[in-house]
Amino acid sequence: MRILAFGGTGAMGVPLVNILANQGHDVYVTSRSRRDNRPNVTYLQGDAQSDFEFVKEILRDKYDAIVDFMVYSSEELKRRISFYLTHTEQYAFFSSSRVYAQSETPLTESSPRLLDVSQDQSYLATDEYALAKAREENILRESGYRNWTIIRPYITYNERRIQLGVYEKENWLYRALAGRTVVFPKDIADRYTSLTYGPDVAATVVKLLGNDNALGEAFHIVNAEKVTWRQVAELYQQVVFDRIHQTIRIDYPDSSTGLQRVWNPWQIKYDRLYDRVFDSGKVESVISDITFRPTRDGLTQCLIRFLDNPKWLDYRMNWKYEAWSDKQEHQFTNVFAIPSKRTKLSYIKNRLAIRR
């Protein structure tokens, strides 16, 4: 097949492109930076997210499938969608399992979405990620076409993304390895969640491409194994101690109310405070040979690989959160370790001003 990947250079795109190329497909990948082509992979330099003229140019030729990892506003996707759907046999749109509302039973693809059932008018007035993705799903469903497939991953991980609740490794692990206490509210820590190894998601998406049974359908591709965030935290503590003999200290305050002042409150309130347990029956009915790496094994391996070769992503640092955490724990971050004057000032300002 001839396949175009918008944004195929990220944590999910890289393994997907590798699998497709190894299978002999011709894969074209948009990238804002210049990259060298390799067997079966051609990089197209340009900004597919903000430059629609660039997109129109590369879509002069039709593709068997387009895999779209971009994050658009609802209005931007509405402007583009007819063009996408008429230039491919299958458009695979990455949505998110954050679209689901709270559920007392395992989530299926037909479970209520926040957009459809929320009564919080302040929330509905936003285009927060979960709402934006649901609105964009609606754009696909109302397009008049059926050659689309909606993909709803949930929390995915690899050695570059090792998450704890709302925190990326640049928040919780960076803080822990610096010897400071990780503040992890109980109302998040004791919720069930699902974590899925990124390459497992990519391998499943590949099997949906060119599959007629996937057209006009939504699928969440999520490890059905459930685990509490507290169990995840305890696993991280054990792995770090075993590998580098360092103790991670975690404080579990009762409520996330304080954290919501320095983090995206909607992500906490309308996702991390929910139990997220999934039923994978739908995708398994379309693809028979799906395997997901056991959570404990996958997280352990990824954390060990990172500890052996640590590389931090500065853009994921949240110095307002660091200031809040330090205030909770009566600790201080060495300002000389903060990378820029602007972030130093942000930390100092918030360390002095934030309420505990």
Side-chain angles (χ1 to χ4, degrees), residues 184 186 188-191 228-235 252:
F184 192 32
K186 286 181 185 177
I188 298 175
D190 292 333
R191 290 296 182 181
T228 68
W229 281 114
R230 187 186 294 268
Q231 290 171 320
V232 172
E234 291 170 352
L235 171 65
Y252 293 97

Side-chain angles (χ1 to χ4, degrees), residues 85-99:
L85 293 172
T86 54
H87 285 77
T88 187
E89 298 299 319
Q90 182 181 19
Y91 174 68
F93 173 74
F94 268 71
S95 180
S96 170
S97 285
R98 275 192 58 202
V99 299

Side-chain angles (χ1 to χ4, degrees), residues 250-268:
I250 302 178
D251 180 18
Y252 293 97
D254 289 335
S255 172
S256 61
T257 301
L259 178 61
Q260 291 180 44
R261 292 197 292 267
V262 296
W263 209 270
N264 175 359
W266 307 124
Q267 181 189 18
I268 297 172

